[in-house]
């Protein structure tokens, strides 16, 4: 694995609307079921008829709960990325770290020689802007290594993850705050995207400033020369 050293409105409004709608639907359907039970008791309705009425609403209740759950979970990584949290408040999976097969927490991280170099180039006492590229083959632990290093060195810095070139352009338009880690997992996705190279040129210009910005990105070895030639 090779290394090259060199907020606020965040989450998708559409997903928030889905979450709010789902929550309202859950409350409404739950209230309806509860009301059916009370009415059955008040007017001595048959147990079978009441049960059928409640069960008939369960599919809708399930769909509403699913909408609420999806809207809630998607806030961890909206389609354009997310802002507004420090590095130590990010779920590593939302940053591109592979999920554990079968579920469960991430295993303990095993340090390797390149981790010392990675931490050196992320030293927060260095005030210059810089870009750090973690390069390696597929599934060699690039993203996990970068995540662990940022967590160790810059836990209280703002971490901003625009998932697309368009989102990156929006971040640059809004202005990037001081002491920000701009996380661009899989650099080739931005290079290959429509308008991506232009946004990366803008990012290079932003790195010429003095706002204490660190860009952290990963790249497969086979994409290294292709990115460098653009």
């Amino acid at each position: 694995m090779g290394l090259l050293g060199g907020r606020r409105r965040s989450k998708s409004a559409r997903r928030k609307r889905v979450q709010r709608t789902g929550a309202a639907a859950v409350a409404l359907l739950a209230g309806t079921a509860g009301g059916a039970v009370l009415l059955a008791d008040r007017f001595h309705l048959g147990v079978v008829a009441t049960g059928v009425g409640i069960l008939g609403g369960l599919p809708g209740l399930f769909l509403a709960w699913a909408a609420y759950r999806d809207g809630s979970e998607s806030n961890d990584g909206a389609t354009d990325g997310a802002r507004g949290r420090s590095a130590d408040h990010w779920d590593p999976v939302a940053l591109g770290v592979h999920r554990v097969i079968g579920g469960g927490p991430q295993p303990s991280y095993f340090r390797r020689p390149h981790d010392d170099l990675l931490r050196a180039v992320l030293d927060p006492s260095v005030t210059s802007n810089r870009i750090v590229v973690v390069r390696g083959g597929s599934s060699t632990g690039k993203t996990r290594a970068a995540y662990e290093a940022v967590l160790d060195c810059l836990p209280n810095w703002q971490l901003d993850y625009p998932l697309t070139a368009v989102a990156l352009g929006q971040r640059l338009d809004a202005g990037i705050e001081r002491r920000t880690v701009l996380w661009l997992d899989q650099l080739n996705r931005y290079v290959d995207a429509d308008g991506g190279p232009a946004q990366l040129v803008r990012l290079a210009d932003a790195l010429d400033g003095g706002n204490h910005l660190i860009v952290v990105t990963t790249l497969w070895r086979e994409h290294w020369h292709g990115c460098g030639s653009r």
Side-chain angles (χ1 to χ4, degrees):
M1 184 179 297
L3 291 171
L4 177 66
R7 125 181 126 158
R8 288 178 204 219
R9 289 187 283 254
S10 46
K11 304 177 177 140
S12 166
R14 183 178 65 83
R15 284 183 167 78
K16 282 188 174 182
R17 289 195 297 270
V18 169
Q19 185 178 0
R20 287 195 295 266
T21 302
V26 168
L28 179 61
L29 288 170
T32 300
V37 173
L38 291 176
L39 288 173
D41 180 70
R42 178 77 173 83
F43 295 103
H44 307 290
L45 299 178
V47 174
V48 174
T50 303
V52 169
I54 295 175
L55 289 175
L58 287 180
L61 181 61
F62 173 79
L63 291 175
W65 171 81
Y68 175 85
R69 180 198 60 190
D70 291 342
S72 176
E73 290 179 353
S74 65
N75 282 335
D76 286 339
T79 55
D80 67 340
R83 291 178 281 182
R85 41 184 132 147
S86 58
D88 60 356
H89 281 72
W90 274 86
D91 180 350
V93 173
L95 295 175
V97 176
H98 292 304
R99 293 183 183 275
V100 176
I101 297 175
Q106 292 285 337
S108 299
Y109 184 68
F110 178 75
R111 291 277 292 267
R112 292 173 284 178
H114 60 259
D115 289 300
D116 294 332
L117 177 57
L118 184 52
R119 281 157 178 75
V121 297
L122 289 175
D123 185 350
S125 66
V126 178
T127 58
S128 60
N129 294 344
R130 52 203 182 275
I131 179 170
V132 179
V133 182
V134 184
R135 184 185 65 174
S138 175
S139 301
T140 53
K142 301 181 298 298
T143 305
R144 178 74 187 275
Y147 166 76
E148 294 291 342
V150 169
L151 198 61
D152 281 354
C153 300
L154 310 165
N156 299 317
W157 280 41
Q158 187 86 357
L159 192 150
D160 189 358
Y161 183 16
L163 290 179
T164 65
V166 172
L168 174 59
Q170 292 171 348
R171 303 297 199 271
L172 294 170
D173 290 340
I176 299 176
E177 297 182 4
R178 291 186 71 255
R179 293 169 58 86
T180 291
V181 175
L182 189 63
W183 184 273
L184 303 179
D185 193 37
Q186 299 186 42
L187 180 60
N188 60 289
R189 291 194 296 115
Y190 301 86
V191 173
D192 296 335
D194 289 341
Q199 301 306 332
L200 292 174
V201 169
R202 294 182 62 201
L203 177 58
D205 292 338
L207 286 168
D208 286 337
N211 59 347
H212 218 157
L213 167 65
I214 298 178
V215 178
V216 177
T217 187
T218 62
L219 191 65
W220 287 13
R221 288 186 181 278
E222 51 266 41
H223 293 144
W224 176 258
H225 296 293
C227 288
S229 64
R230 304 209 180 182

